[in-house]
Amino acid sequence: MTFDLVAQDPQSKARAGVVHTAHGAIQTPIFMPVGTAGTVKAVQQRDLKDDIKAQIILGNTYHLYLRPGLDVLRQAGGLHKFNGWDRPILTDSGGYQVYSLSGTRKIKEEGVKFRSHIDGSQHLFSPEGVMDIQRTIGADIMMAFDECTPWPCEYDYAARSLDMTHRWLKRCIARFDSTEGHYGYDQTLFPIVQGSTFKDLRIKSAEFVAEQQREGNAIGGLSVGEPADMMYEMTELVCDILPQDKPRYLMGVGTPANILENIALGVDMFDCVMPTRNARNGMLFTTQGILNITNKKWATDFEPIDRELGGYVSTFYSRSYVRHLFQSQEMLGPQIASIHNLSFYLWLVGQAREQILAGTFREWKDKMVKQVMTRL
């Protein structure tokens, strides 16, 4: 994997670049739809390509390991062949999911023992094992195995956790560098910066990660409940340390405003379940602001969901009709809403890229943050 830095905004730390992978190029800044179990919920691959214009999607190591399992993925030829997605894929390490199983897992130096949420069976995720699993899944970008600390978090716990995450990272790198992909193309490994919301720990982790000289780097452990200003402070601190010539991926973020503000701080890649999860509950993000499609005020609004956004579902279906689908509990409602919201997120980062290239990002960002977060 390689990264070309194309432009930097003169009034902020925002940048535009291109990530080159075995399955194609990714223009940054980019948002990556989350396909936890090998599917972006309620969205076909054709819609991801043609309407949403996704350039890369995510898979989840924990869920794919449990279902369909490594034997099926191996026989299929990897996740790309299994789900028919021929563009880049990133897999997280499964760490976040494992740590969310707080009642059924034990964290030790060797790794994490946990019980499956499906059948209660016991499993071990180690740094080496997680590298092997992601090799089998076949993602273009693999994530290091780390511990995502909760927020709020005691300093001593965060410090101990960070040291273990760094030891695990060295083990991940050793395993990754001593193995090869199964399907005839290159994969890359991103380390993850941790350290909760403690400045000294974030600096320590960012410096350690930068020293590993991998092809890209990630920032984890944010957007877990801390105030937005604290997230921005930690992000800026870390981005100022991580190498300029490597892509920076902020994991699990976030709202449209979060994304725009973090682009301004130097982040290149984002993912979040928010556009699809909120879509299934009737919250639609539009170029003019946020609307709850289940509200009665849309019952006789026959305007398209978002005429300015473009794309099939956003301009073909009326707000009234989509509200009717939700009121009738028809599956098509959440499907339309999911495609629309993801289209909006991809449009937003695409617009940000254009503004960076034009040197006008800062002024545009300040206006758009207010506009896209307005409640309609």
Side-chain angles (χ1 to χ4, degrees):
M1 192 204 83
T2 59
F3 177 64
D4 297 329
L5 187 58
V6 176
Q8 293 188 269
D9 179 58
Q11 302 298 321
S12 72
K13 297 173 183 177
R15 2 138 355 107
V18 183
V19 177
H20 300 276
T21 77
H23 285 92
I26 306 158
Q27 295 189 328
T28 64
I30 192 63
F31 179 82
M32 305 179 282
V34 177
T36 301
T39 170
V40 178
K41 288 187 189 300
V43 181
Q44 296 188 68
Q45 320 302 31
R46 182 179 61 189
D47 295 323
L48 276 171
K49 282 187 173 183
D50 298 344
D51 221 6
I52 295 165
K53 295 179 171 54
Q55 299 178 46
I56 175 174
I57 62 173
L58 264 69
N60 181 270
T61 293
Y62 168 84
H63 288 283
L64 292 167
Y65 164 79
L66 293 175
R67 282 190 304 212
L70 301 184
D71 287 343
V72 171
L73 288 169
R74 191 180 292 109
Q75 290 181 55
L79 183 56
H80 289 92
K81 295 285 182 63
F82 185 61
N83 71 358
W85 179 256
D86 60 3
R87 293 179 182 179
I89 294 177
L90 180 149
T91 43
D92 67 13
S93 68
Y96 183 81
Q97 283 69 33
V98 168
Y99 301 117
S100 68
L101 303 170
S102 56
T104 59
R105 50 91 168 144
K106 292 183 179 178
I107 305 173
K108 296 184 177 181
E109 189 68 32
E110 64 175 323
V112 181
K113 290 182 178 178
F114 63 94
R115 291 193 177 276
S116 163
H117 72 285
I118 299 168
D119 60 10
S121 57
Q122 192 161 326
H123 304 267
L124 170 69
F125 270 11
S126 67
E128 294 81 6
V130 166
M131 293 299 96
D132 294 346
I133 293 167
Q134 290 184 84
R135 286 290 199 193
T136 301
I137 294 171
D140 298 272
I141 300 172
M142 299 166 42
M143 304 308 298
F145 192 53
D146 65 332
E147 181 181 4
C148 179
T149 51
W151 188 88
C153 178
E154 294 289 336
Y155 180 89
D156 288 347
Y157 182 89
R160 289 196 304 273
S161 171
L162 181 63
D163 288 341
M164 185 173 67
T165 286
H166 288 173
R167 292 193 296 273
W168 282 359
L169 173 58
K170 297 298 284 187
R171 289 166 60 187
C172 285
I173 290 171
R175 184 60 152 234
F176 179 86
D177 287 349
S178 65
T179 58
E180 294 184 356
H182 301 321
Y183 311 114
Y185 55 84
D186 289 336
Q187 298 172 278
T188 193
L189 172 65
F190 279 24
I192 303 173
V193 176
Q194 289 288 353
S196 188
T197 51
F198 302 105
K199 288 185 180 180
D200 61 326
L201 296 184
R202 284 286 172 180
I203 292 170
K204 177 182 177 180
S205 188
E207 290 176 345
F208 183 82
V209 162
E211 288 169 4
Q212 308 312 308
Q213 298 184 338
R214 307 314 292 188
E215 292 166 331
N217 300 297
I219 305 167
L222 295 176
S223 192
V224 291
E226 80 283 356
D229 288 348
M230 197 172 283
M231 178 211 305
Y232 301 145
E233 182 183 7
M234 294 300 110
T235 300
E236 184 170 25
L237 190 68
V238 170
C239 284
D240 286 348
I241 297 170
L242 292 178
Q244 287 282 320
D245 60 346
K246 309 287 178 64
R248 304 169 184 144
Y249 163 33
L250 181 57
M251 305 178 74
V253 176
T255 67
N258 291 158
I259 288 173
L260 292 175
E261 296 291 3
N262 281 297
I263 288 173
L265 299 175
V267 174
D268 307 295
M269 303 168 69
F270 301 87
D271 81 285
C272 190
V273 297
M274 178 173 284
T276 45
R277 180 175 290 169
N278 287 20
R280 296 194 296 275
N281 294 314
M283 178 183 283
L284 302 185
F285 298 97
T286 77
T287 55
Q288 302 305 308
I290 300 170
L291 60 89
N292 184 341
I293 202 65
T294 62
N295 286 351
K296 191 174 182 179
K297 67 185 293 185
W298 310 115
T300 55
D301 188 331
F302 302 108
E303 280 293 300
I305 300 170
D306 190 348
R307 192 185 298 276
E308 291 187 27
L309 184 61
Y312 176 68
V313 302
S314 304
T315 58
F316 183 83
Y317 295 106
S318 73
R319 296 170 177 180
S320 174
Y321 178 63
V322 177
R323 179 182 186 273
H324 157 72
L325 294 174
F326 272 90
Q327 295 296 108
S328 304
Q329 297 186 331
E330 286 287 344
M331 288 188 292
L332 184 58
Q335 183 179 7
I336 290 170
S338 297
I339 295 170
H340 165 78
N341 276 357
L342 288 172
S343 299
F344 168 79
Y345 267 63
L346 268 296
W347 170 86
L348 187 67
V349 293
Q351 290 292 302
R353 179 182 172 85
E354 289 186 15
Q355 297 292 330
I356 294 167
L357 293 173
T360 53
F361 172 80
R362 178 61 185 271
E363 184 178 349
W364 172 85
K365 183 268 295 181
D366 290 343
K367 179 189 74 171
M368 288 303 290
V369 165
K370 297 176 183 176
Q371 184 170 310
V372 299
M373 297 306 291
T374 300
R375 292 279 179 163
L376 300 177

